[in-house]
Amino acid sequence: MQSCAPASTAGPTPARVPALPPRELFPALAETSDVYLDSASTTQKPLPVIEAVRRYHSSRTANAGRGTYPWAGGLTREIESVRERMAAFIHADADEVVFTGGATAGLNAVALSWGLANLADGDEILYSPRDHASNVYPWHHLRRLLRGFGREIVLTPYRVNAMGEADIDDLERRIGPRTRMITVGHLHHVFGALSTLEELRGRIDPAIALCFDCSQSGGHLPVDVRELEADFAVFSAHKMFGAPGTGVLYCRRRRHGELMPFLPGGNSGVSLGDSGLVAGAMPQLLEGGTHNLPGILALGAALEVFERVGLEAIGTHNRALTQRLITGLRPVPGLEFLPGPAYAPCETGYGIVSFTLDGISTGDLGFVLSELGFLVRTGTHCVPADDAPRDEDSVRVSTHIYNTFDEIDRFTECVATIAEEVS
């Protein structure tokens, strides 16, 4: 459900948000005049993150958890410190935090480690076909794998509403006695709408697992997995100032006994018993192989930046930018917003707005905007082509703390000028 800020008749102004880190904290932005408006795809990297990667490769490079000499021991403690920091960041315990290769890897881990072990013939997963492909394809893949074991599970799609949120009424109607999981995008990657499923609390069987894709919300607004009552939640480090190839999977402790290893090998916490593999303790159970060590250290540096800046400040800034963007684009002739904050009954927004413009394809519009120095995402934004309506083909604008009101104003003026030329 969208959380609403107090309604206001005046447009958002810079005075409403606190001072934020200077653009110079992000070297890639400091060296260009281009306006980066694609943070939902990946965020820019602050200097502490860049330095964390450089330091790992240039000073006392070692492997974690595999040696007693000081270099290895020190690195092991650093990695576990990042785990503890990430746990505090999402209000979890350290043994509930699993390091992965990214959010996609995390969702596939849920499918393979939990789904294969627990879903029986006739069980059901509820999902949105308008979510990111990484929160759609793993469940289809799981269904195909289970068919090989003689188990047929049911994948039931639910709708989103005009604001881009999970349609709670439709979702609740579809919950049945064999529903075992509901999976949802916490902050939608195209619509910029927040879905918490809070309306379902106390109204559904608590045994139903709740899985949240927090790829867009992590690092953009406070995420409390306890408050969400999440059983699983995934985070993408490169969308929260960190490096690509790193992510986090939150696994609620009550589910630990239901998990089986899906990457057995070195460091996976499993052992050989008389009847095969014996599962070990979490989180190592799901962490087979060598970690992306520089990526995890970079995540730790990113978390320090978030702690210094404050997620509340980031959320306030993105909401103000979102409202400024909507206000500037609304009068543009031929412009149509996709579901999202433009249709909310009150002032809200999380830094993502998508739209189309009559008279020009989204690809061409994106190219023209890039020639004018505005970098946006166009296309279907990884929404599965075989499941969702084609109106997801759009221009997506996504902001973060390094964007300014002046950039938003110049962008909306530019879109208005293009609209006049193509009308």
Side-chain angles (χ1 to χ4, degrees):
M1 182 178 71
Q2 297 275 12
S3 65
C4 293
S8 171
T9 56
T13 64
R16 296 180 58 184
V17 298
L20 294 169
R23 187 181 178 97
E24 288 70 25
L25 182 61
F26 301 87
L29 296 178
E31 64 185 24
T32 181
S33 60
D34 287 337
V35 178
Y36 186 76
L37 295 170
D38 194 22
S39 290
S41 180
T42 196
T43 53
Q44 296 300 306
K45 314 308 174 194
L47 282 167
V49 167
I50 297 169
E51 175 58 22
V53 175
R54 187 204 65 79
R55 187 170 60 249
Y56 171 78
H57 288 297
S58 63
S59 176
R60 299 188 176 185
T61 302
N63 208 339
R66 289 168 171 80
T68 57
Y69 56 94
W71 290 14
L75 182 61
T76 300
R77 288 189 293 274
E78 282 190 77
I79 296 299
E80 291 310 308
S81 175
V82 176
R83 192 191 305 277
E84 292 170 2
R85 176 170 265 141
M86 184 67 197
F89 189 72
I90 61 174
H91 302 272
D93 293 323
D95 68 340
E96 298 175 312
V97 171
V98 177
F99 292 126
T100 70
T104 300
L107 288 163
N108 276 276
V110 175
L112 299 176
S113 179
W114 180 83
L116 280 179
N118 292 276
L119 296 181
D121 189 54
D123 284 348
E124 176 186 48
I125 294 175
L126 271 55
Y127 78 105
S128 170
R130 302 182 83 176
D131 272 351
H132 194 284
S134 293
N135 199 22
V136 175
Y137 289 156
W139 319 118
H140 285 266
H141 181 53
L142 173 63
R143 180 171 63 178
R144 183 175 181 179
L145 290 175
L146 286 171
R147 281 175 181 161
F149 297 103
R151 287 178 275 167
E152 184 71 35
I153 65 169
V154 179
L155 301 181
T156 300
Y158 60 84
R159 296 196 298 261
V160 298
N161 60 26
M163 290 188 292
E165 306 163 351
D167 187 324
I168 296 298
D169 291 336
D170 182 64
L171 203 162
E172 188 171 18
R173 281 193 297 269
R174 297 177 185 277
I175 296 173
R178 299 300 299 274
T179 302
R180 296 293 177 260
M181 172 184 279
I182 301 171
T183 185
V184 65
H186 186 216
L187 180 59
H188 198 277
H189 69 296
V190 180
F191 305 144
L194 193 68
S195 296
T196 64
L197 305 185
E198 61 182 299
E199 301 91 337
L200 296 178
R201 292 174 196 161
R203 295 161 59 180
I204 64 172
D205 186 346
I208 296 174
L210 301 182
C211 179
F212 289 86
D213 179 359
C214 298
S215 298
Q216 299 297 342
S217 54
H220 292 76
L221 64 147
V223 177
D224 186 333
V225 293
R226 296 274 192 262
E227 185 177 295
L228 288 173
E229 297 186 1
D231 290 284
F232 305 103
V234 298
F235 299 83
S236 178
H238 77 93
K239 296 179 189 288
M240 44 192 294
F241 295 165
T246 308
V248 166
L249 165 62
Y250 161 77
C251 291
R252 191 175 180 178
R253 188 175 291 126
R254 73 167 183 161
R255 299 290 178 183
H256 288 187
E258 302 172 6
L259 302 173
M260 69 176 185
F262 78 107
L263 282 175
N267 201 47
S268 60
V270 301
S271 59
L272 278 175
D274 293 338
S275 58
L277 290 180
V278 178
M282 284 284 286
Q284 289 76 22
L285 177 68
L286 303 184
E287 289 185 348
T290 300
H291 290 313
N292 181 348
L293 298 169
I296 295 172
L297 296 173
L299 174 60
L303 293 175
E304 291 182 20
V305 173
F306 287 125
E307 290 164 5
R308 186 165 71 245
V309 177
L311 285 175
E312 295 288 353
I314 293 172
T316 299
H317 185 64
N318 270 329
R319 183 171 65 245
L321 290 176
T322 303
Q323 287 299 309
R324 185 73 153 246
L325 177 64
I326 292 170
T327 300
L329 291 177
R330 201 180 292 281
V332 175
L335 187 143
E336 183 176 354
F337 292 106
L338 265 64
Y343 300 96
C346 54
E347 190 175 284
T348 188
Y350 303 93
I352 298 175
V353 174
S354 299
F355 64 90
T356 59
L357 186 63
D358 288 346
I360 185 170
S361 70
T362 60
D364 287 345
L365 179 54
F367 175 77
V368 173
L369 288 169
S370 70
E371 290 293 292
L372 297 171
F374 297 98
L375 312 182
V376 297
R377 174 80 179 267
T378 63
T380 57
H381 316 294
C382 296
V383 175
D386 53 348
D387 248 351
R390 291 299 82 213
D391 63 1
E392 259 79 296
D393 190 354
S394 62
V395 173
R396 183 184 67 188
V397 179
S398 50
T399 64
H400 218 301
I401 62 172
Y402 33 68
N403 294 118
T404 67
F405 289 87
D406 175 67
E407 290 176 343
I408 295 300
D409 291 343
R410 288 191 285 119
F411 174 80
T412 56
E413 290 169 6
C414 184
V415 173
T417 300
I418 294 171
E420 291 178 4
E421 294 176 352
V422 300
S423 61

